[in-house]
Amino acid sequence: EPEVTQTPSHQVTQMGQEVILRCVPISNHLYFYWYRQILGQKVEFLVSFYNNEISEKSEIFDDQFSVERPDGSNFTLKIRSTKLEDSAMYFCASSPPGLSMNTEAFFGQGTRLTVV
Amino acid sequence: GNSVTQMEGPVTLSEEAFLTINCTYTATGYPSLFWYVQYPGEGLQLLLKATKADDKGSNKGFEATYRKETTSFHLEKGSVQVSDSAVYFCAPNTDKLIFGTGTRLQVFP
C-alpha cells in the first residue's frame, strides 16, 4: 500500500542551525501539507502546497520556514535558523486529486525535531 | 476561524466497554468531517469520515454521525479492545484539516 515517508525519524540540532525535513508523498497526489505537534499540544497546520506553490500558510509559518518540491517526488520543509520552540513532531501529508475538502490526507510517521 | 473541541483525555476504559469521544467544531462553510487515530509511535491514520449532514462514517467498529444542527461528530464504539488504545483526533476540513489536541484512549484488559 502506498505511503508517505518522512526522513529522518528524529533530528537533533543546535539552536540557530538550519534543518531540512524531508518527505516523499504518495506518487499521484497533488496536495501537500506540513503540520507540527508540540509535545502534549494540538496538531497545528503549517502550510499547504499545490501546483508548485504555497496555497495557504498559517501564522506559525514565518520567514524562517520554507517549502520546496525540488524534483517532483520530494517535498521538503526547511527551517532556516532553529529556535528552542521549534522542537516538535513534524508531519507531512498528501492528498489525491479531487475536491480537496472531501478527500482524506495521508500522513507520514513524522520527524521528531529536537532543538538544543 | 475554524476550530475543533474534543473532550480531554485520557479516557480510561475496560475491555468491551462502550466508548464515546465528543467532538464539536466551528467552521465557515460546509466542512467534511474526519476522525484520525494515532497509535503509539506511528503517524496519523484516517479512521472514518463523513462528507455531508446525517452521513455516518464507520470503520473497525467505530462510528460517527455528521450532525450539522449541533456541529458535532462524536465518535462511538460499542465494545472497545486493548488494541484500540491510541490518540483520536477529530478534524473538520473546509480547505485543510484542522486538528485539536486529540483524546487519548487507554483500554485495559
Side-chain angles (χ1 to χ4, degrees), chain A residues 7-65:
Chain A
T7 54
S9 56
H10 192 185
Q11 172 92 44
V12 181
T13 189
Q14 291 210 323
M15 193 168 54
Q17 294 296 305
E18 175 184 285
V19 293
I20 297 176
L21 309 183
R22 301 182 191 280
C23 170
V24 179
I26 295 173
S27 63
N28 66 335
H29 285 190
L30 296 182
Y31 300 88
F32 311 108
Y33 311 87
W34 283 100
Y35 287 80
R36 78 172 186 190
Q37 185 181 29
I38 295 172
L39 188 63
Q41 298 187 27
K42 66 180 182 180
V43 177
E44 301 172 293
F45 168 76
L46 293 179
V47 65
S48 57
F49 192 86
Y50 172 72
N51 201 25
N52 287 319
E53 60 183 26
I54 290 174
S55 47
E56 188 174 350
K57 59 184 180 180
S58 71
E59 291 176 354
I60 302 166
F61 195 89
D62 61 21
D63 292 345
Q64 292 300 310
F65 291 87

CSV table of all heavy atoms in Angstrom, one decimal, chain A residues 7-65:
chain,number,residue,atom,x,y,z
A,7,THR,N,11.8,11.5,6.4
A,7,THR,CA,13.2,11.2,7.0
A,7,THR,C,13.8,12.6,7.4
A,7,THR,O,13.5,13.6,6.9
A,7,THR,CB,14.1,10.6,5.9
A,7,THR,OG1,14.1,11.5,4.7
A,7,THR,CG2,13.7,9.2,5.5
A,8,PRO,N,14.6,12.6,8.5
A,8,PRO,CA,14.8,11.4,9.4
A,8,PRO,C,13.6,11.2,10.3
A,8,PRO,O,12.8,12.1,10.4
A,8,PRO,CB,16.1,11.8,10.1
A,8,PRO,CG,16.0,13.3,10.2
A,8,PRO,CD,15.3,13.8,8.9
A,9,SER,N,13.7,10.2,11.1
A,9,SER,CA,12.6,10.0,12.1
A,9,SER,C,12.9,10.9,13.3
A,9,SER,O,11.9,11.3,14.0
A,9,SER,CB,12.5,8.5,12.5
A,9,SER,OG,13.8,8.1,13.0
A,10,HIS,N,14.1,11.1,13.6
A,10,HIS,CA,14.5,12.0,14.7
A,10,HIS,C,15.7,12.9,14.3
A,10,HIS,O,16.7,12.3,13.7
A,10,HIS,CB,14.8,11.2,15.9
A,10,HIS,CG,14.9,12.0,17.2
A,10,HIS,ND1,15.3,11.4,18.4
A,10,HIS,CD2,14.6,13.3,17.5
A,10,HIS,CE1,15.2,12.4,19.3
A,10,HIS,NE2,14.9,13.5,18.8
A,11,GLN,N,15.6,14.2,14.5
A,11,GLN,CA,16.7,15.1,14.2
A,11,GLN,C,16.9,16.0,15.4
A,11,GLN,O,16.0,16.6,16.0
A,11,GLN,CB,16.2,16.0,13.1
A,11,GLN,CG,17.2,17.1,12.7
A,11,GLN,CD,18.2,16.8,11.7
A,11,GLN,OE1,17.9,16.1,10.7
A,11,GLN,NE2,19.4,17.1,11.9
A,12,VAL,N,18.2,16.0,15.9
A,12,VAL,CA,18.6,16.8,16.9
A,12,VAL,C,19.5,17.9,16.3
A,12,VAL,O,20.4,17.6,15.6
A,12,VAL,CB,19.4,16.1,18.0
A,12,VAL,CG1,19.8,17.0,19.2
A,12,VAL,CG2,18.5,14.9,18.6
A,13,THR,N,19.3,19.2,16.6
A,13,THR,CA,20.0,20.2,16.1
A,13,THR,C,20.3,21.3,17.1
A,13,THR,O,19.5,21.5,18.1
A,13,THR,CB,19.3,20.8,14.9
A,13,THR,OG1,20.2,21.7,14.2
A,13,THR,CG2,18.1,21.6,15.2
A,14,GLN,N,21.3,22.1,16.9
A,14,GLN,CA,21.6,23.2,17.8
A,14,GLN,C,20.8,24.4,17.4
A,14,GLN,O,20.6,24.7,16.2
A,14,GLN,CB,23.1,23.5,17.8
A,14,GLN,CG,24.0,22.4,18.4
A,14,GLN,CD,25.2,23.0,19.0
A,14,GLN,OE1,25.8,23.9,18.5
A,14,GLN,NE2,25.6,22.4,20.1
A,15,MET,N,20.4,25.2,18.4
A,15,MET,CA,19.7,26.4,18.2
A,15,MET,C,20.5,27.3,17.2
A,15,MET,O,21.7,27.4,17.2
A,15,MET,CB,19.6,27.2,19.5
A,15,MET,CG,18.6,28.3,19.5
A,15,MET,SD,18.3,28.8,21.2
A,15,MET,CE,19.9,29.2,21.8
A,16,GLY,N,19.8,27.8,16.2
A,16,GLY,CA,20.4,28.7,15.2
A,16,GLY,C,20.8,28.0,13.9
A,16,GLY,O,21.1,28.6,12.9
A,17,GLN,N,20.8,26.6,14.0
A,17,GLN,CA,21.2,25.9,12.8
A,17,GLN,C,20.0,25.7,11.9
A,17,GLN,O,18.8,25.8,12.3
A,17,GLN,CB,21.7,24.5,13.2
A,17,GLN,CG,23.0,24.5,14.0
A,17,GLN,CD,24.1,25.1,13.2
A,17,GLN,OE1,24.4,24.6,12.1
A,17,GLN,NE2,24.8,26.1,13.7
A,18,GLU,N,20.3,25.4,10.6
A,18,GLU,CA,19.3,25.2,9.6
A,18,GLU,C,19.0,23.7,9.6
A,18,GLU,O,19.9,22.8,9.8
A,18,GLU,CB,19.8,25.6,8.2
A,18,GLU,CG,18.8,25.2,7.1
A,18,GLU,CD,19.5,25.6,5.8
A,18,GLU,OE1,19.5,26.8,5.4
A,18,GLU,OE2,19.9,24.7,5.0
A,19,VAL,N,17.7,23.3,9.5
A,19,VAL,CA,17.4,21.9,9.3
A,19,VAL,C,16.4,21.8,8.1
A,19,VAL,O,15.7,22.7,7.7
A,19,VAL,CB,16.6,21.3,10.5
A,19,VAL,CG1,17.5,21.3,11.7
A,19,VAL,CG2,15.4,22.1,10.8
A,20,ILE,N,16.5,20.6,7.4
A,20,ILE,CA,15.7,20.3,6.3
A,20,ILE,C,15.0,19.0,6.6
A,20,ILE,O,15.7,18.0,6.9
A,20,ILE,CB,16.4,20.2,5.0
A,20,ILE,CG1,17.0,21.5,4.6
A,20,ILE,CG2,15.5,19.7,3.9
A,20,ILE,CD1,17.9,21.5,3.4
A,21,LEU,N,13.7,19.0,6.7
A,21,LEU,CA,12.9,17.8,6.9
A,21,LEU,C,12.4,17.3,5.6
A,21,LEU,O,11.9,18.1,4.8
A,21,LEU,CB,11.7,18.1,7.9
A,21,LEU,CG,12.1,18.8,9.2
A,21,LEU,CD1,10.9,18.9,10.1
A,21,LEU,CD2,13.2,18.1,9.9
A,22,ARG,N,12.5,16.0,5.3
A,22,ARG,CA,12.2,15.5,4.0
A,22,ARG,C,11.0,14.6,4.0
A,22,ARG,O,10.8,13.9,5.0
A,22,ARG,CB,13.4,14.7,3.5
A,22,ARG,CG,14.7,15.6,3.4
A,22,ARG,CD,15.8,14.9,2.8
A,22,ARG,NE,17.1,15.7,3.0
A,22,ARG,CZ,17.4,16.7,2.2
A,22,ARG,NH1,16.6,17.1,1.2
A,22,ARG,NH2,18.5,17.4,2.5
A,23,CYS,N,10.3,14.6,2.9
A,23,CYS,CA,9.1,13.9,2.8
A,23,CYS,C,9.0,13.4,1.4
A,23,CYS,O,9.3,14.1,0.4
A,23,CYS,CB,7.9,14.8,3.2
A,23,CYS,SG,6.2,14.1,2.8
A,24,VAL,N,8.5,12.1,1.2
A,24,VAL,CA,8.2,11.6,-0.1
A,24,VAL,C,6.7,11.3,-0.1
A,24,VAL,O,6.2,10.4,0.5
A,24,VAL,CB,8.9,10.4,-0.5
A,24,VAL,CG1,8.5,9.9,-1.9
A,24,VAL,CG2,10.4,10.7,-0.5
A,25,PRO,N,5.9,12.2,-0.7
A,25,PRO,CA,4.4,12.0,-0.7
A,25,PRO,C,4.0,10.8,-1.6
A,25,PRO,O,4.9,10.3,-2.3
A,25,PRO,CB,3.9,13.3,-1.3
A,25,PRO,CG,5.0,14.3,-1.3
A,25,PRO,CD,6.2,13.5,-1.4
A,26,ILE,N,2.8,10.4,-1.6
A,26,ILE,CA,2.3,9.3,-2.5
A,26,ILE,C,2.3,9.8,-3.9
A,26,ILE,O,1.9,11.0,-4.1
A,26,ILE,CB,0.9,8.9,-2.0
A,26,ILE,CG1,1.1,8.2,-0.6
A,26,ILE,CG2,0.3,7.9,-3.0
A,26,ILE,CD1,-0.3,7.9,0.1
A,27,SER,N,2.7,9.0,-4.8
A,27,SER,CA,3.1,9.5,-6.1
A,27,SER,C,2.1,10.2,-7.0
A,27,SER,O,2.4,11.1,-7.7
A,27,SER,CB,3.7,8.3,-7.0
A,27,SER,OG,2.7,7.3,-7.2
A,28,ASN,N,0.8,9.8,-6.9
A,28,ASN,CA,-0.1,10.5,-7.8
A,28,ASN,C,-0.9,11.6,-7.0
A,28,ASN,O,-1.9,12.2,-7.5
A,28,ASN,CB,-1.2,9.5,-8.3
A,28,ASN,CG,-2.0,8.9,-7.2
A,28,ASN,OD1,-1.6,8.8,-6.1
A,28,ASN,ND2,-3.2,8.5,-7.6
A,29,HIS,N,-0.4,12.0,-5.8
A,29,HIS,CA,-1.1,13.0,-5.1
A,29,HIS,C,-0.7,14.4,-5.5
A,29,HIS,O,0.4,14.6,-6.1
A,29,HIS,CB,-0.8,12.9,-3.6
A,29,HIS,CG,-1.5,11.7,-2.9
A,29,HIS,ND1,-1.6,11.5,-1.6
A,29,HIS,CD2,-2.3,10.8,-3.5
A,29,HIS,CE1,-2.3,10.5,-1.3
A,29,HIS,NE2,-2.8,10.0,-2.5
A,30,LEU,N,-1.6,15.4,-5.3
A,30,LEU,CA,-1.3,16.7,-5.8
A,30,LEU,C,-1.3,17.8,-4.7
A,30,LEU,O,-0.8,18.9,-5.0
A,30,LEU,CB,-2.4,17.1,-6.8
A,30,LEU,CG,-2.6,16.3,-8.1
A,30,LEU,CD1,-3.7,16.8,-9.0
A,30,LEU,CD2,-1.2,16.2,-8.9
A,31,TYR,N,-1.8,17.4,-3.6
A,31,TYR,CA,-1.8,18.4,-2.5
A,31,TYR,C,-0.9,18.0,-1.4
A,31,TYR,O,-0.9,16.8,-1.0
A,31,TYR,CB,-3.3,18.6,-1.9
A,31,TYR,CG,-4.3,19.0,-2.9
A,31,TYR,CD1,-5.0,18.1,-3.6
A,31,TYR,CD2,-4.6,20.3,-3.0
A,31,TYR,CE1,-6.0,18.5,-4.6
A,31,TYR,CE2,-5.6,20.7,-3.9
A,31,TYR,CZ,-6.2,19.8,-4.7
A,31,TYR,OH,-7.2,20.2,-5.6
A,32,PHE,N,-0.1,18.9,-0.9
A,32,PHE,CA,0.9,18.5,0.1
A,32,PHE,C,0.8,19.5,1.3
A,32,PHE,O,0.5,20.6,1.1
A,32,PHE,CB,2.3,18.6,-0.5
A,32,PHE,CG,2.4,17.8,-1.8
A,32,PHE,CD1,2.5,18.5,-3.0
A,32,PHE,CD2,2.3,16.5,-1.9
A,32,PHE,CE1,2.5,17.9,-4.2
A,32,PHE,CE2,2.3,15.8,-3.1
A,32,PHE,CZ,2.4,16.5,-4.3
A,33,TYR,N,1.1,18.9,2.5
A,33,TYR,CA,0.9,19.7,3.7
A,33,TYR,C,2.1,19.4,4.7
A,33,TYR,O,2.6,18.3,4.7
A,33,TYR,CB,-0.4,19.3,4.4
A,33,TYR,CG,-1.6,19.3,3.5
A,33,TYR,CD1,-1.9,18.1,2.8
A,33,TYR,CD2,-2.4,20.4,3.4
A,33,TYR,CE1,-3.1,18.1,2.0
A,33,TYR,CE2,-3.6,20.4,2.6
A,33,TYR,CZ,-3.9,19.2,1.9
A,33,TYR,OH,-5.0,19.2,1.1
A,34,TRP,N,2.3,20.4,5.5
A,34,TRP,CA,3.1,20.2,6.7
A,34,TRP,C,2.3,20.6,7.9
A,34,TRP,O,1.7,21.7,7.9
A,34,TRP,CB,4.4,21.0,6.7
A,34,TRP,CG,5.5,20.4,5.8
A,34,TRP,CD1,5.8,20.7,4.5
A,34,TRP,CD2,6.4,19.3,6.1
A,34,TRP,NE1,6.8,19.9,4.1
A,34,TRP,CE2,7.2,19.0,5.0
A,34,TRP,CE3,6.5,18.5,7.3
A,34,TRP,CZ2,8.2,18.0,5.0
A,34,TRP,CZ3,7.5,17.5,7.3
A,34,TRP,CH2,8.3,17.3,6.1
A,35,TYR,N,2.4,19.8,9.0
A,35,TYR,CA,1.8,20.0,10.2
A,35,TYR,C,2.8,19.8,11.3
A,35,TYR,O,3.8,19.1,11.1
A,35,TYR,CB,0.6,19.1,10.5
A,35,TYR,CG,-0.7,19.3,9.8
A,35,TYR,CD1,-0.8,18.9,8.4
A,35,TYR,CD2,-1.7,20.0,10.3
A,35,TYR,CE1,-2.0,19.1,7.7
A,35,TYR,CE2,-2.9,20.2,9.6
A,35,TYR,CZ,-3.0,19.7,8.3
A,35,TYR,OH,-4.2,19.9,7.6
A,36,ARG,N,2.6,20.4,12.5
A,36,ARG,CA,3.5,20.1,13.6
A,36,ARG,C,2.7,19.9,14.9
A,36,ARG,O,1.6,20.4,15.0
A,36,ARG,CB,4.5,21.2,13.8
A,36,ARG,CG,4.0,22.4,14.5
A,36,ARG,CD,5.2,23.4,14.9
A,36,ARG,NE,4.6,24.5,15.7
A,36,ARG,CZ,5.3,25.5,16.0
A,36,ARG,NH1,6.6,25.7,15.5
A,36,ARG,NH2,4.8,26.5,16.7
A,37,GLN,N,3.3,19.1,15.8
A,37,GLN,CA,2.7,18.9,17.1
A,37,GLN,C,3.7,19.0,18.1
A,37,GLN,O,4.6,18.2,18.3
A,37,GLN,CB,2.1,17.5,17.1
A,37,GLN,CG,1.3,17.1,18.3
A,37,GLN,CD,0.8,15.7,18.3
A,37,GLN,OE1,1.3,14.8,17.7
A,37,GLN,NE2,-0.4,15.5,19.0
A,38,ILE,N,3.6,20.1,18.9
A,38,ILE,CA,4.5,20.3,20.1
A,38,ILE,C,4.0,19.3,21.1
A,38,ILE,O,2.7,19.1,21.2
A,38,ILE,CB,4.4,21.7,20.6
A,38,ILE,CG1,5.0,22.6,19.5
A,38,ILE,CG2,5.1,21.9,21.9
A,38,ILE,CD1,4.9,24.1,19.8
A,39,LEU,N,4.9,18.7,21.9
A,39,LEU,CA,4.6,17.6,22.8
A,39,LEU,C,3.4,18.0,23.7
A,39,LEU,O,3.4,19.0,24.4
A,39,LEU,CB,5.8,17.3,23.6
A,39,LEU,CG,5.7,16.1,24.5
A,39,LEU,CD1,5.5,14.8,23.7
A,39,LEU,CD2,6.9,16.0,25.4
A,40,GLY,N,2.4,17.2,23.7
A,40,GLY,CA,1.2,17.4,24.5
A,40,GLY,C,0.2,18.4,24.0
A,40,GLY,O,-0.8,18.7,24.7
A,41,GLN,N,0.5,19.0,22.9
A,41,GLN,CA,-0.4,20.0,22.3
A,41,GLN,C,-1.1,19.6,21.1
A,41,GLN,O,-0.9,18.4,20.6
A,41,GLN,CB,0.4,21.3,22.1
A,41,GLN,CG,1.0,21.9,23.4
A,41,GLN,CD,1.6,23.2,23.3
A,41,GLN,OE1,1.2,24.0,22.4
A,41,GLN,NE2,2.6,23.5,24.1
A,42,LYS,N,-1.8,20.5,20.5
A,42,LYS,CA,-2.6,20.1,19.3
A,42,LYS,C,-1.8,20.0,18.1
A,42,LYS,O,-0.7,20.5,18.0
A,42,LYS,CB,-3.8,21.0,19.1
A,42,LYS,CG,-3.4,22.4,18.7
A,42,LYS,CD,-4.6,23.3,18.5
A,42,LYS,CE,-4.3,24.7,18.1
A,42,LYS,NZ,-5.5,25.5,17.9
A,43,VAL,N,-2.3,19.3,17.1
A,43,VAL,CA,-1.6,19.2,15.8
A,43,VAL,C,-2.0,20.5,15.0
A,43,VAL,O,-3.1,20.8,14.8
A,43,VAL,CB,-2.1,18.0,15.0
A,43,VAL,CG1,-1.5,18.0,13.6
A,43,VAL,CG2,-1.8,16.7,15.7
A,44,GLU,N,-0.9,21.3,14.6
A,44,GLU,CA,-1.1,22.6,14.0
A,44,GLU,C,-0.8,22.6,12.6
A,44,GLU,O,0.3,22.1,12.2
A,44,GLU,CB,-0.2,23.6,14.7
A,44,GLU,CG,-0.5,23.7,16.2
A,44,GLU,CD,0.6,24.6,16.9
A,44,GLU,OE1,1.8,24.3,16.9
A,44,GLU,OE2,0.2,25.7,17.3
A,45,PHE,N,-1.6,23.2,11.8
A,45,PHE,CA,-1.3,23.4,10.4
A,45,PHE,C,-0.2,24.4,10.2
A,45,PHE,O,-0.2,25.5,10.8
A,45,PHE,CB,-2.6,23.9,9.7
A,45,PHE,CG,-2.4,24.3,8.3
A,45,PHE,CD1,-2.3,23.4,7.2
A,45,PHE,CD2,-2.4,25.7,8.0
A,45,PHE,CE1,-2.1,23.8,5.9
A,45,PHE,CE2,-2.3,26.1,6.7
A,45,PHE,CZ,-2.1,25.2,5.6
A,46,LEU,N,0.7,24.1,9.3
A,46,LEU,CA,1.8,25.0,8.9
A,46,LEU,C,1.5,25.6,7.5
A,46,LEU,O,1.5,26.8,7.3
A,46,LEU,CB,3.1,24.3,8.9
A,46,LEU,CG,3.6,23.9,10.3
A,46,LEU,CD1,5.0,23.2,10.2
A,46,LEU,CD2,3.8,25.0,11.3
A,47,VAL,N,1.4,24.7,6.5
A,47,VAL,CA,1.4,25.1,5.1
A,47,VAL,C,0.8,24.1,4.2
A,47,VAL,O,0.9,22.9,4.5
A,47,VAL,CB,2.9,25.4,4.7
A,47,VAL,CG1,3.7,24.2,4.7
A,47,VAL,CG2,2.9,26.2,3.4
A,48,SER,N,0.2,24.5,3.2
A,48,SER,CA,-0.3,23.6,2.1
A,48,SER,C,0.3,24.1,0.8
A,48,SER,O,0.6,25.2,0.6
A,48,SER,CB,-1.8,23.6,2.0
A,48,SER,OG,-2.3,24.9,1.8
A,49,PHE,N,0.5,23.1,-0.1
A,49,PHE,CA,1.3,23.3,-1.3
A,49,PHE,C,0.5,22.6,-2.4
A,49,PHE,O,0.2,21.4,-2.3
A,49,PHE,CB,2.6,22.7,-1.1
A,49,PHE,CG,3.7,23.1,-2.1
A,49,PHE,CD1,4.4,24.2,-2.0
A,49,PHE,CD2,4.0,22.2,-3.2
A,49,PHE,CE1,5.4,24.6,-2.9
A,49,PHE,CE2,5.0,22.5,-4.1
A,49,PHE,CZ,5.7,23.7,-3.9
A,50,TYR,N,0.3,23.3,-3.5
A,50,TYR,CA,-0.4,22.8,-4.7
A,50,TYR,C,0.1,23.4,-5.9
A,50,TYR,O,0.3,24.7,-6.0
A,50,TYR,CB,-1.9,23.0,-4.5
A,50,TYR,CG,-2.7,22.6,-5.8
A,50,TYR,CD1,-2.9,21.3,-6.1
A,50,TYR,CD2,-3.3,23.6,-6.6
A,50,TYR,CE1,-3.6,20.9,-7.2
A,50,TYR,CE2,-4.0,23.3,-7.7
A,50,TYR,CZ,-4.1,21.9,-8.0
A,50,TYR,OH,-4.9,21.6,-9.1
A,51,ASN,N,0.3,22.7,-7.0
A,51,ASN,CA,0.7,23.2,-8.3
A,51,ASN,C,2.0,24.0,-8.1
A,51,ASN,O,2.2,25.1,-8.7
A,51,ASN,CB,-0.4,24.0,-8.8
A,51,ASN,CG,-0.3,24.2,-10.3
A,51,ASN,OD1,0.3,23.4,-11.0
A,51,ASN,ND2,-0.9,25.3,-10.8
A,52,ASN,N,2.9,23.5,-7.3
A,52,ASN,CA,4.3,24.0,-7.2
A,52,ASN,C,4.3,25.4,-6.5
A,52,ASN,O,5.3,26.2,-6.7
A,52,ASN,CB,5.0,24.1,-8.5
A,52,ASN,CG,5.5,22.8,-9.0
A,52,ASN,OD1,6.0,22.0,-8.2
A,52,ASN,ND2,5.3,22.5,-10.3
A,53,GLU,N,3.3,25.7,-5.7
A,53,GLU,CA,3.3,26.9,-4.9
A,53,GLU,C,2.5,26.7,-3.7
A,53,GLU,O,1.7,25.9,-3.6
A,53,GLU,CB,2.8,28.1,-5.8
A,53,GLU,CG,1.4,28.0,-6.2
A,53,GLU,CD,1.0,29.2,-7.1
A,53,GLU,OE1,1.9,29.8,-7.7
A,53,GLU,OE2,-0.2,29.5,-7.1
A,54,ILE,N,2.8,27.6,-2.7
A,54,ILE,CA,2.1,27.6,-1.4
A,54,ILE,C,0.7,28.1,-1.7
A,54,ILE,O,0.5,29.1,-2.3
A,54,ILE,CB,2.8,28.5,-0.4
A,54,ILE,CG1,4.2,27.9,0.0
A,54,ILE,CG2,1.9,28.7,0.8
A,54,ILE,CD1,5.0,28.8,0.9
A,55,SER,N,-0.3,27.3,-1.2
A,55,SER,CA,-1.7,27.7,-1.4
A,55,SER,C,-2.2,28.4,-0.1
A,55,SER,O,-3.1,29.2,-0.2
A,55,SER,CB,-2.6,26.5,-1.8
A,55,SER,OG,-2.3,25.4,-1.0
A,56,GLU,N,-1.7,28.0,1.0
A,56,GLU,CA,-2.1,28.6,2.3
A,56,GLU,C,-1.0,28.4,3.3
A,56,GLU,O,-0.3,27.3,3.3
A,56,GLU,CB,-3.4,28.0,2.8
A,56,GLU,CG,-4.0,28.8,4.0
A,56,GLU,CD,-5.3,28.3,4.3
A,56,GLU,OE1,-6.0,27.5,3.6
A,56,GLU,OE2,-5.8,28.7,5.4
A,57,LYS,N,-0.8,29.3,4.2
A,57,LYS,CA,0.1,29.1,5.3
A,57,LYS,C,-0.4,29.7,6.6
A,57,LYS,O,-1.2,30.7,6.5
A,57,LYS,CB,1.5,29.7,5.0
A,57,LYS,CG,1.5,31.2,4.7
A,57,LYS,CD,2.9,31.7,4.3
A,57,LYS,CE,2.9,33.2,4.0
A,57,LYS,NZ,4.2,33.7,3.6
A,58,SER,N,0.0,29.2,7.7
A,58,SER,CA,-0.5,29.7,9.0
A,58,SER,C,0.4,30.8,9.5
A,58,SER,O,1.5,31.0,8.9
A,58,SER,CB,-0.6,28.6,10.0
A,58,SER,OG,0.7,28.1,10.4
A,59,GLU,N,0.0,31.4,10.6
A,59,GLU,CA,0.9,32.4,11.3
A,59,GLU,C,2.2,31.9,11.7
A,59,GLU,O,3.2,32.6,11.9
A,59,GLU,CB,0.1,33.0,12.5
A,59,GLU,CG,-1.1,33.8,12.1
A,59,GLU,CD,-1.9,34.3,13.3
A,59,GLU,OE1,-1.6,33.9,14.4
A,59,GLU,OE2,-2.8,35.1,13.1
A,60,ILE,N,2.2,30.6,12.0
A,60,ILE,CA,3.4,29.9,12.5
A,60,ILE,C,4.5,29.9,11.4
A,60,ILE,O,5.7,30.1,11.6
A,60,ILE,CB,3.2,28.5,12.9
A,60,ILE,CG1,2.1,28.4,14.0
A,60,ILE,CG2,4.4,27.8,13.4
A,60,ILE,CD1,1.5,27.0,14.2
A,61,PHE,N,4.0,29.8,10.2
A,61,PHE,CA,4.9,29.7,9.0
A,61,PHE,C,5.5,31.0,8.6
A,61,PHE,O,5.0,31.7,7.7
A,61,PHE,CB,4.1,29.0,7.9
A,61,PHE,CG,5.0,28.5,6.8
A,61,PHE,CD1,5.5,27.2,6.8
A,61,PHE,CD2,5.3,29.3,5.7
A,61,PHE,CE1,6.3,26.7,5.8
A,61,PHE,CE2,6.1,28.8,4.6
A,61,PHE,CZ,6.6,27.5,4.7
A,62,ASP,N,6.5,31.5,9.4
A,62,ASP,CA,7.0,32.8,9.1
A,62,ASP,C,8.2,32.7,8.2
A,62,ASP,O,8.4,31.7,7.6
A,62,ASP,CB,7.4,33.5,10.5
A,62,ASP,CG,8.4,32.7,11.2
A,62,ASP,OD1,9.2,31.9,10.6
A,62,ASP,OD2,8.5,32.9,12.5
A,63,ASP,N,9.0,33.8,8.1
A,63,ASP,CA,10.1,33.8,7.1
A,63,ASP,C,11.2,32.8,7.4
A,63,ASP,O,12.1,32.6,6.6
A,63,ASP,CB,10.7,35.2,7.1
A,63,ASP,CG,9.8,36.3,6.6
A,63,ASP,OD1,8.8,35.8,5.9
A,63,ASP,OD2,10.0,37.5,6.8
A,64,GLN,N,11.2,32.2,8.6
A,64,GLN,CA,12.2,31.2,8.9
A,64,GLN,C,11.9,29.8,8.2
A,64,GLN,O,12.7,29.0,8.2
A,64,GLN,CB,12.2,31.0,10.4
A,64,GLN,CG,12.8,32.1,11.2
A,64,GLN,CD,14.2,32.5,10.8
A,64,GLN,OE1,15.1,31.6,10.7
A,64,GLN,NE2,14.4,33.8,10.5
A,65,PHE,N,10.6,29.7,7.8
A,65,PHE,CA,10.2,28.4,7.2
A,65,PHE,C,10.1,28.6,5.7
A,65,PHE,O,9.8,29.7,5.1
A,65,PHE,CB,8.8,28.1,7.7
A,65,PHE,CG,8.8,27.6,9.1
A,65,PHE,CD1,8.6,28.6,10.1
A,65,PHE,CD2,8.9,26.3,9.5
A,65,PHE,CE1,8.6,28.2,11.5
A,65,PHE,CE2,8.8,25.9,10.8
A,65,PHE,CZ,8.7,26.9,11.8
